[in-house]
Amino acid sequence: MIQKPKGTRDILPDEVYKWQYIEGVVRDILENAGMGEIRVPVFEHTELFSRGVGETTDVVQKEMYTFEDKGGRSITLRPEGTAGVVRSYIENGMASQATPIKLWYEMPMYRYENVQKGRLREFRQIGTEVIGTESYLADVEVISLGAKIFEALNIPNIKLNINSIGCPVCRQKYQEALRDFIRPNLEKYCDTCKTRFEKNPMRILDCKEQKCKEMNQGAPIILDYLCEECREHFEKVKSLLMNLEIPFEIDSSIVRGLDYYTKTVFEFVSEDDGLTVLGGGRYDGLIKEIGGQDTPAVGFAMGVERLLEIFEKYNKDVIEDYNMDLYIATIGEEADLFATRLVMNLRDEGVFVEKDICSRSLKAQFKYADKKKARFVLTIGEDEVKKNYAKLKDMKTGEEVETKLKAEEIFSKLFE
Ligand code: ATP
Ligand code: MG
C-alpha cells in the first residue's frame, strides 16, 4: 500500500471541525483588526526564499523542498509565508493603497525537517503582515492580536517572550563582539556554524546542536549593543505592552530562525511542552531586499498544528462534532421519489438531512442513521405520501410527533 510521505498528515472529516472552529475564531479576530486575507502560490522561484529568508538560515540551508521544473527553473515549495506575501505586495503595487497594508493568511508550508512532536514536513501557518509602518504601535498591535487569539481560544500557560535584535547599524558592532566570543571555540562548533561565522554569526545562536548551544552560554547579548533609535523603539514597545496589561518577559536569546527580522522579535511559547506556537517580529529590510521600495513591516506566523494540539487539551467539550439533524428513511419507490424532493427542500432551509442513496432495506437505513448519530428520523412509505403525514422520531428520547410532509413544518418541529 502507498502511504503518505513522512511528516505529512491527513485531516479527516471527524476532526476537521476543530480546525474550522479555530480558523473561524482567528479569522474574526484578524479581520476585525482590518486584515484582509491573501493567498499566494505554494511554489515560488527559489531565489525569493534564499534572498528573503536568508542564505545562512536553517530553512534555506537544510529544509527547503527545491526542484528543477521541466523548464529548467529552480522552484521551491514555500517554507514560510512572509517572502511570498511580500513578493505579492510588490508585484501587485499594493504600496499605492492606503497605508498600512494589513494582510493575513492561512497556508500550508513545506520544510524538510527531522520529524518529531510538533515538527512536520507539511504544516499550516496562520500569519499576519502589517506593511508600511515603522511605528512601535504596529509591533504592539500585532503582538496584542497574538495574545488575543490565545485568550479567545481559551488556551492558558502561554508565555510571551520579546527581544530586540536591532538594525544593521547596531548589529555590526554586536556581530564583532559575538565573533570575538565564539572565535576561541570556533573549531569545536558544528560545520554549519563554522560556515556562518563570517557571514552571519547571529545564526550560530539559533543552532539546535547541543554542543553549540552549550558553547553559546554566556555570549554577549544584542540588547547591550542597540543603537539609540532601536533602544527607544524597544522601550516604547515594552511600555505600551505594560500599559495594555499584556504580560511578557525579555528573552535576550531570541534571534528567530529567519534572517529578515529587525528590532522587535517575539515568541508565544507553551509552558506545557516548551514549544513555540507563534513567532514573529519586525522586518524592515525585507521588502527592499527582494526588490521593492525601502518599506518597514511587522508580522507573525503561528503553527496551526501546534495551536490545535494545546487547544484540544484545554477545550475537550467546547466544540461539538457537526451531526445530522434528520434522516429520512423510505419504503418503496414512490416514497423514495417523494423523499428525494423533500430532502432538497429541507437542505434549502439549511437542514443537515440525508436519505438513502444505496437502495438499501429499511433496517439498513435505520442502522446508518444510528451510526451517523441522526438526531431525528422520519419514516415515509406509500401511505404517508398519500396522507401527507408521517412520524418524526427523536432518537435521543424515543418520542414521536406527527408532522405534515412540508419542509417548513418539519423545520419548525426540528428546531423549536
Ligand atoms: P523552530 O525554531 O521551532 O524551528 P522556526 O523559527 O523555524 O521555529 P518559524 O519559521 O518562525 O519557526 O515558524 C512559526 C511557527 O510555525 C512556529 O512557531 C511553529 O509553531 C510553526 N512551525 C515551524 N516549523 C514547523 C514544523 N516543521 N512543523 C509544525 N509547525 C512548525
Ligand atoms: Mg525551524
Side-chain angles (χ1 to χ4, degrees), residues 322 324-328 339-357 368 407-408 410-411 414-415:
Y322 185 41
M324 200 193 303
D325 297 315
L326 174 67
Y327 185 82
I328 302 185
T340 301
R341 286 219 185 84
L342 186 57
V343 159
M344 287 176 177
N345 294 338
L346 282 163
R347 286 179 186 160
D348 286 344
E349 301 283 325
V351 179
F352 177 173
V353 51
E354 286 191 73
K355 71 173 286 297
D356 170 65
I357 49 170
Y368 177 82
E408 300 80 48
I410 296 170
F411 182 88
L414 290 176
F415 298 111

Side-chain angles (χ1 to χ4, degrees), residues 187-203:
E187 276 316 302
K188 290 182 252 164
Y189 275 88
C190 73
D191 288 345
T192 316
C193 282
K194 281 184 197 126
T195 66
R196 292 168 174 176
F197 181 74
E198 284 305 330
K199 278 190 255 169
N200 194 350
M202 273 171 78
R203 280 269 77 84

Side-chain angles (χ1 to χ4, degrees), residues 52-319:
V53 177
E55 289 286 3
T56 57
T57 58
D58 271 358
V59 169
V60 171
Q61 284 187 324
K62 300 177 182 169
E63 298 171 1
M64 293 207 303
Y65 280 92
T66 297
F67 58 95
E68 201 174 274
D69 73 6
K70 292 190 198 303
R73 305 168 193 90
S74 179
I75 293 293
T76 293
L77 301 186
R78 67 172 169 237
E80 58 92 58
T82 303
V85 168
V86 163
R87 184 217 25 85
S88 174
Y89 164 89
I90 299 168
E91 198 166 337
N92 293 290
M94 286 188 226
S96 65
Q97 297 170 15
T99 298
I101 302 294
K102 295 172 157 186
L103 303 166
W104 79 277
Y105 59 78
E106 180 184 7
M107 304 189 293
M109 305 297 164
Y110 301 85
R111 294 185 193 177
Y112 193 77
E113 299 245 30
N114 285 322
V115 176
Q116 48 190 287
K117 182 176 149 61
R119 207 170 277 289
L120 294 153
R121 289 183 177 169
E122 182 189 62
F123 61 98
R124 284 154 192 79
Q125 283 184 340
I126 293 177
T128 68
E129 317 293 351
V130 175
I131 305 174
T133 163
E134 59 184 359
S135 171
Y136 73 98
L137 294 168
D139 306 30
V140 175
E141 169 145 306
V142 164
I143 293 172
S144 70
L145 288 170
K148 181 81 218 166
I149 288 171
F150 293 107
E151 185 198 312
L153 290 173
N154 186 32
I155 296 175
N157 303 341
I158 296 286
K159 220 172 107 201
L160 166 61
N161 295 326
I162 68 170
N163 191 23
S164 173
I165 55 171
C167 62
V169 177
C170 31
R171 225 177 276 171
Q172 204 150 21
K173 263 199 287 169
Y174 174 63
Q175 293 194 333
E176 267 325 303
L178 195 54
R179 283 196 196 97
D180 289 345
F181 172 82
I182 292 167
R183 196 172 287 112
N185 289 323
L186 187 58
E187 276 316 302
K188 290 182 252 164
Y189 275 88
C190 73
D191 288 345
T192 316
C193 282
K194 281 184 197 126
T195 66
R196 292 168 174 176
F197 181 74
E198 284 305 330
K199 278 190 255 169
N200 194 350
M202 273 171 78
R203 280 269 77 84
I204 293 177
L205 297 180
D206 200 34
C207 184
K208 307 277 190 291
E209 295 242 355
Q210 197 50 38
K211 60 171 184 181
C212 301
K213 275 187 180 170
E214 274 162 27
M215 287 185 286
N216 285 338
Q217 297 287 323
I221 61 172
I222 180 119
L223 286 179
D224 296 333
Y225 292 81
L226 293 187
C227 66
E228 208 33 54
E229 189 200 322
C230 289
R231 187 187 311 282
E232 200 181 305
H233 186 97
F234 194 47
E235 288 307 318
K236 284 181 172 164
V237 167
K238 288 190 291 185
S239 84
L240 183 53
L241 284 174
M242 278 190 265
N243 252 308
L244 295 173
E245 292 168 52
I246 299 174
F248 65 88
E249 265 175 46
I250 311 287
D251 179 349
S252 60
S253 73
I254 303 178
V255 291
R256 310 287 307 123
L258 315 169
D259 267 356
Y260 49 60
Y261 288 109
T262 51
K263 292 185 177 162
T264 318
V265 288
F266 54 90
E267 294 184 343
F268 286 84
V269 181
S270 163
E271 291 183 289
D272 296 352
D273 53 16
L275 285 177
T276 302
V277 186
L278 183 155
R282 183 162 271 290
Y283 49 93
D284 291 347
L286 176 64
I287 295 165
K288 191 163 178 219
E289 177 66 38
I290 59 182
Q293 297 288 321
D294 200 355
T295 311
V298 56
F300 70 62
M302 63 203 301
V304 190
E305 285 80 3
R306 291 189 193 177
L307 182 69
L308 183 80
E309 187 163 323
I310 24 174
F311 170 78
E312 281 186 306
K313 186 170 160 191
Y314 292 105
N315 296 274
K316 286 233 155 44
D317 305 313
V318 173
I319 41 164

